[in-house]
């Protein structure tokens, strides 16, 4: 452990290291037929516990929100300087994953405040390309 906390490889939320390619492969595995049964997949993106401050609910590891884009399941993670968001747009079967190593500029901006606007904007660009 470093003087300022965990070693570099544990700074991500939960100590996870990943790449964009790995996140896409995990997405395909979760929504495909190799990891979860059909019954488990049907439950994966279903709201389980209402969370009013998120305007949605918490499912099995996902925040689930019904929006103008249909049902969106998302989760984020970060720390004092980074932020990552992964989202599954169920209607269009679009997966968005983005990460920033500078998520906050004290007194100026905070990506956490705009993460869903940014995520929906990326999904919209993907829909236009399809």
């Amino acid at each position: 452990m470093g003087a300022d906390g965990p070693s570099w490889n544990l700074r991500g939320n939960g100590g996870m290291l990943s790449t964009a390619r790995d996140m896409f492969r995990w997405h395909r595995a979760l929504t495909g037929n190799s990891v979860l049964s059909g019954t488990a997949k049907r439950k994966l993106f279903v709201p389980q516990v209402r969370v009013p401050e998120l305007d949605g609910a918490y499912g099995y590891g996902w925040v689930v929100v019904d929006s103008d884009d249909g049902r969106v399941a998302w989760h984020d993670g970060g720390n004092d300087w980074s932020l990552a968001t992964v989202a599954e747009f169920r209607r269009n079967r679009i997966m968005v994953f983005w990460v920033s190593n500078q998520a906050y500029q004290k007194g100026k901006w905070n990506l956490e405040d705009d993460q869903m606007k940014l995520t929906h904007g990326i999904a919209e660009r993907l829909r236009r390309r399809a």
Side-chain angles (χ1 to χ4, degrees):
M1 179 179 277
D4 65 341
S7 300
W8 71 270
N9 63 324
L10 297 178
R11 293 202 189 272
N13 192 6
M16 186 177 106
L17 294 176
S18 189
T19 64
R21 177 175 282 171
D22 285 344
M23 291 299 291
F24 181 66
R25 289 175 65 207
W26 179 240
H27 160 76
R28 291 189 67 184
L30 281 179
T31 57
N33 297 318
S34 60
V35 174
L36 298 174
S37 69
T39 301
K41 284 192 308 186
R42 283 189 292 279
K43 293 178 181 179
L44 185 61
F45 300 117
V46 173
Q48 300 295 326
V49 178
R50 183 97 180 106
V51 183
E53 59 270 16
L54 295 174
D55 290 327
Y58 200 72
Y60 290 103
W62 298 91
V63 175
V64 182
V65 178
D66 289 320
S67 73
D68 293 341
D69 292 325
R71 178 158 287 166
V72 180
W74 65 274
H75 204 291
D76 65 0
N79 51 33
D80 290 339
W81 61 85
S82 66
L83 180 66
T85 299
V86 61
E88 164 80 18
F89 289 77
R90 302 299 297 150
R91 180 187 301 158
N92 303 108
R93 298 195 56 178
I94 292 174
M95 180 260 204
V96 172
F97 170 69
W98 62 266
V99 62
S100 174
N101 64 355
Q102 186 168 356
Y104 310 96
Q105 183 68 40
K106 191 173 183 171
K108 294 185 179 184
W109 53 270
N110 180 340
L111 283 181
E112 194 169 10
D113 294 339
D114 293 322
Q115 70 180 322
M116 291 317 297
K117 181 179 177 182
L118 176 61
T119 302
H120 281 268
I122 294 168
E124 181 57 33
R125 291 186 73 178
L126 291 170
R127 276 191 288 278
R128 280 188 261 148
R129 295 182 88 194

